Amino acid sequence: MSEDISRRPRAERAARMAPLAVLPVFLKLTGRRVVVVGGSEAAVWKAELLAAAGAEVMVYAEAPCPAMLDLAKAPPAGSITLHHRAWTPADLGDAAFAIGAFEEDADAAAFAAEARGAGVPVNVIDKPAFCDVQFGGIVNRSPLVIGISTDGAAPVFGQAVRARIEALLPQGFARWADAARRWRRRVQSLDLPFQARRRFWELFSERAMATPEAVPPACLTIELERAARATAEARTGRIVLVGAGPGDPELLTMRAVRALQSADVIVHDDLVPAAVLDVARREAERISAGKRGRGPSCRQEDINALVIRLAAEGKHVVRLKAGDPMIFGRAGEEIAAAEARGIPVEVVPGISAAQGAAAALKLSLTHRDHARRLQYVTAHGRDGRLPRDLSWPALTDPAASTIVYMPGATWHELAAGLIAKGLSAATPAIAVVNATRPDEVRIAGTVADLAGRLAARAWTGPLLILYGDAFGAAGQEAATGALASLPQPV
């Protein structure tokens, strides 16, 4: 279908927040009075946690365990005062928070009722029915603190998630977060516009991510301030072309995630799935500038003009493209248009659709026994038809692995041309729809019969076709063996 069937880029709103089982909040307790009732080991952990947050902890326990006695003598922070008696309702009067450890539900219910009557949030250890507030898993890189909750549904799973985050999060982030806290007032006092201040913290975050175990040097503030001022003086924003990968958000690079989470505006392709957009900063404006080979598409000139206008307004624009922006993504045109206006452009590569499909099939694109060359080709020309300047000798080379992009409307013609130019009709071919996504579909066949197999099956989404001897028996088995378990597109 020709590109003269066009539409305009359109603004979108971020997806609404999905329902939350609980609301994650962070409670400031420094210098505030908190009540803990009970002297058991479970109460000890809660008292220690509250003291670590700087609270003035009042513990009421008639028979505190040895660990509670030891903790009261040497709390980690804040203070702990141990009262060797039962609690009374008067003890809750000016408390910011109340926690109780009770064996019997009746005692728990009475404590919760008194706390709520006094307007005090309450937690009863291991009795969620009486809790206004629940404790989750904690990853401590203070002042960077991460809380994890499963709303009591799967505590062991929550512990596993915490362990994973602990392993991924460098201990050195605590130093960087502390440096940010110390430098924040200075940055706020600088005569910098909002965009420049944000650029300061983006550069700070990039340095922290790159050197997490380094001690942030004091001179870094001067370096970052100069870079931020340069941003302000330029009076223009910037454009980052970001590869969204083939669809699985876990295949985004860390650099792509950072770009998405610092963007003012995201101009994205139709083929970028919602799961990838969900990674972005929720406040970022989102604009769909879709280009589809078999449906109404935004004109490239309109996309170029839109992205340049937004950047000229001083915004950080992320141009989010499916796969890798430098592979059949028309990135060259967008880069040239921006640079002609003096707008800086950065490129963040992504996992290509070909790489994603090969990984899903567990097939080497350059198997030494079958392929001496790897080639990517588009089956979609400017007019929406099969390009007329294809190199048939290259495409019919039996020693090449060939990946065909955008072949949905033209594969039948391309396959006929390959066979007519001498490629064996029995050459293995595999179609992969929505590579790496939950609704991925694989259809195995040969160059001769794959068009018929595609026509016989309902499918929607980005299509990639791989053909060559490297996709022989192993590839056919990998593709057909998964068909029964894959969902049928509608």
Side-chain angles (χ1 to χ4, degrees), residues 17-388:
M17 179 67 72
L20 292 169
V22 291
L23 180 66
V25 295
F26 294 91
L27 191 60
K28 287 281 191 182
L29 292 175
T30 301
R32 304 182 71 185
R33 184 172 178 275
V34 175
V35 170
V36 175
V37 173
S40 64
E41 291 282 354
V44 171
W45 165 237
K46 293 298 191 291
E48 180 178 356
L49 191 62
L50 295 166
E56 296 179 359
V57 185
M58 302 292 164
V59 179
Y60 298 90
E62 294 179 275
C65 68
M68 183 67 84
L69 295 172
D70 292 341
L71 179 64
K73 294 175 184 176
S79 66
I80 296 178
T81 303
L82 182 56
H83 301 271
H84 292 260
R85 64 172 175 82
W87 73 282
T88 67
D91 297 326
L92 300 170
D94 60 348
F97 191 17
I99 298 173
F102 300 97
E103 293 290 335
E104 302 298 328
D105 282 359
D107 296 332
F111 177 73
E114 289 291 347
R116 288 167 180 156
V120 180
V122 63
N123 170 271
V124 179
I125 299 171
D126 292 334
K127 294 186 182 295
F130 303 107
C131 294
D132 298 325
V133 178
Q134 296 177 344
F135 288 82
I138 295 174
V139 178
N140 185 8
R141 304 289 186 271
S142 188
L144 174 63
V145 179
I146 299 172
I148 302 158
S149 172
T150 64
D151 193 28
V156 174
F157 178 52
Q159 292 167 10
V161 172
R162 174 180 172 271
R164 175 67 65 87
I165 295 175
E166 286 278 9
L168 292 175
L169 208 62
Q171 292 288 338
F173 276 177
R175 290 190 293 270
W176 285 92
D178 185 60
R181 178 168 57 184
R182 288 185 281 108
W183 297 351
R184 187 168 191 83
R185 182 170 295 177
R186 168 178 167 76
V187 175
Q188 289 175 328
S189 69
L190 297 174
D191 184 23
L192 290 173
F194 170 78
Q195 291 292 344
R197 290 199 307 274
R198 204 170 100 194
R199 183 59 179 157
F200 178 99
W201 291 115
E202 288 174 0
L203 294 169
F204 174 91
S205 300
E206 289 174 7
R207 184 69 66 88
M209 292 292 180
T211 58
E213 299 302 340
V215 177
C219 63
L220 182 61
T221 57
I222 299 173
E223 177 186 338
L224 298 185
E225 180 184 336
R226 287 173 180 165
R229 288 193 182 280
T231 297
E233 292 167 3
R235 298 184 182 277
T236 61
R238 56 200 174 99
I239 299 169
V240 185
L241 301 183
V242 176
D248 183 348
E250 293 189 4
L251 294 179
L252 286 167
T253 65
M254 293 180 65
R255 194 169 160 197
V257 171
R258 288 199 297 272
L260 287 169
Q261 293 182 346
S262 63
D264 296 315
V265 186
I266 299 168
V267 181
H268 65 88
D269 290 345
D270 275 352
L271 297 180
V272 175
V276 170
L277 289 170
D278 286 344
V279 175
R281 191 169 73 99
R282 290 189 59 81
E283 296 83 358
E285 181 184 1
R286 303 180 187 200
I287 300 175
S288 173
K291 296 184 70 63
R292 288 184 176 272
R294 295 187 292 170
S297 296
C298 296
R299 296 189 309 161
Q300 188 63 50
E301 311 90 88
D302 292 338
I303 298 173
N304 294 351
L306 170 66
V307 172
I308 289 170
R309 175 178 62 78
L310 292 168
E313 292 171 358
K315 295 177 180 177
H316 174 194
V317 183
V318 166
R319 177 71 175 101
L320 188 61
K321 293 174 171 286
D324 183 286
M326 311 303 273
I327 299 178
F328 298 124
R330 300 185 72 170
E333 298 170 51
E334 297 183 18
I335 293 171
E339 290 181 341
R341 293 286 300 272
I343 296 173
V345 180
E346 178 185 347
V347 179
V348 178
I351 301 295
S352 69
Q355 291 172 301
L361 292 166
K362 297 184 178 68
L363 289 177
S364 170
L365 296 174
T366 55
H367 194 294
R368 63 184 302 174
D369 294 336
H370 302 293
R372 292 192 301 273
R373 188 159 53 86
L374 171 64
Q375 56 190 3
Y376 295 170
V377 61
T378 176
H380 183 86
R382 286 182 177 272
D383 59 1
R385 299 179 180 179
L386 190 68
R388 302 306 175 198

Side-chain angles (χ1 to χ4, degrees), residues 476-488:
Q476 302 290 304
E477 182 179 352
T480 57
L483 291 180
S485 62
L486 290 169
Q488 291 280 347

